[in-house]
Amino acid sequence: MNAAAQSAPRAASAVSGENLVRVYVWEWPVRIAHWVIVISLCVLSLTGYYLYDPYIIARGSEVFMMGTIRFIHEVTGFVFIGAFLLRLYWFFKGNRWARWQQYLLLDSERWRGAHNMVRYYMFLRREPESRVGHNPLAGATYSTIYAFIFIEVLTGLALFNHVRHSAVLGFFIGWLPSLIGIQYLREIHFFVMFILWAFFYHHIYSAWLMSIEERSGLIGSIFSGYKNLPADFVAADPASRYEKHVPAVGPGWAHVRRHGKPRA
């Protein structure tokens, strides 16, 4: 992809009447998994920190605060695992922007794109490395975060089975406590939470920044699934599924919409 095409989303804002393609980028499983993971992470963090260091003192002989918090944490944990598994499945089932190839630096083009984004964040490059889906650096970052989520799931299941003693769960996860002591697993599980929250804060910042830079409806796309992009930019994207002369609008397709005035 050439430099002109990469900067097309931002340049489009100054062009009156340019054809914009409304592209269905994020399919519903991606959006559902995203928001369930976000909400679950908030609940798991609040309850998990309480389990680590109780910050509410419950009074009364019939109050079992620790048990209630632990139950909420465990149920939410399984919801979190379900959303994670859905996203892993969609790495192989989803459209081109959701597939696993977009989350790894597999070729020189993606390495170059990630390098350009690093230079952009270091104020050594004026324009970001835009893509219809995730830019290469964002994709690689997500892969790292999914690896940390996998560690969080493994350690969480090991801690759960340390109390539950399930034969089935022990068959799949019983090897971990014998390899790493249960107290170390608890510390790893607790520490990874802070890594995920560090990413959470940066993710909000970078999503807002890219939404301003690209002016493609990036923030809204995680709700609707759609981005509005110049047709030539979509056609030049390495992972684009854009099909020309498609009259209908729907999942996996795109349509052209004429804007009669410049975007602010």
Side-chain angles (χ1 to χ4, degrees):
M1 184 186 295
N2 56 44
Q6 290 167 355
S7 61
R10 189 173 183 180
S13 63
V15 179
S16 178
E18 180 175 355
N19 284 332
L20 295 181
V21 180
R22 189 169 186 254
V23 189
Y24 188 64
V25 180
W26 309 125
E27 298 164 301
W28 66 264
V30 174
R31 305 197 308 276
I32 288 177
H34 174 276
W35 288 113
V36 172
I37 287 175
V38 169
I39 296 171
S40 298
L41 179 62
C42 294
V43 176
L44 288 169
S45 298
L46 290 172
T47 56
Y49 197 90
Y50 181 87
L51 297 176
Y52 185 86
D53 183 18
Y55 49 84
I56 298 176
I57 299 177
R59 302 186 181 278
S61 59
E62 297 182 359
V63 176
F64 189 25
M65 179 66 74
M66 180 62 74
T68 301
I69 295 296
R70 186 183 186 90
F71 176 76
I72 295 173
H73 188 81
E74 291 171 351
V75 171
T76 307
F78 283 105
V79 173
F80 182 79
I81 291 173
F84 179 57
L85 292 176
L86 173 62
R87 189 61 189 92
L88 291 182
Y89 172 71
W90 217 249
F91 276 137
F92 304 93
K93 182 67 175 178
N95 64 23
R96 294 186 184 182
W97 301 295
R99 288 182 177 264
W100 62 271
Q101 293 93 336
Q102 300 303 306
Y103 294 80
L104 298 175
L105 303 177
L106 297 175
D107 52 46
S108 59
E109 191 275 335
R110 293 193 65 79
W111 276 102
R112 183 169 54 253
H115 177 256
N116 287 338
M117 280 303 299
V118 171
R119 294 181 66 240
Y120 170 77
Y121 281 120
M122 295 179 66
F123 304 103
L124 298 176
R125 175 185 168 95
R126 185 175 296 274
E127 299 289 342
E129 187 81 8
S130 298
R131 293 290 190 278
V132 174
H134 293 306
N135 67 67
L137 181 62
T141 303
Y142 274 115
S143 294
T144 304
I145 292 302
Y146 286 132
F148 279 116
I149 289 177
F150 183 66
I151 294 173
E152 197 78 332
V153 168
L154 285 181
T155 54
L157 289 175
L159 293 171
F160 175 75
N161 197 54
H162 182 67
V163 177
R164 182 67 177 81
H165 301 294
S166 167
V168 175
L169 191 56
F171 175 79
F172 291 101
I173 204 68
W175 56 270
L176 189 56
S178 61
L179 184 65
I180 305 174
I182 197 69
Q183 187 58 41
Y184 290 108
L185 288 177
R186 184 174 287 108
E187 292 298 327
I188 292 171
H189 191 74
F190 184 66
F191 179 71
V192 171
M193 177 189 73
F194 292 99
I195 295 177
L196 296 179
W197 272 100
F199 167 76
F200 180 83
Y201 289 126
H202 174 73
H203 178 61
I204 294 175
Y205 161 75
S206 59
W208 192 273
L209 176 63
M210 290 300 102
S211 182
I212 294 173
E213 288 279 12
E214 297 179 358
R215 304 181 186 181
S216 61
L218 186 149
I219 296 293
S221 69
I222 200 57
F223 296 97
S224 68
Y226 287 94
K227 288 185 178 182
N228 298 305
L229 298 161
D232 59 345
F233 174 78
V234 178
D237 190 81
S240 176
R241 293 184 67 193
Y242 170 68
E243 298 290 341
K244 197 173 183 179
H245 306 307
V246 177
V249 180
W253 298 98
H255 80 288
V256 176
R257 182 175 66 188
R258 174 73 68 177
H259 288 260
K261 60 181 181 180
R263 300 160 73 192

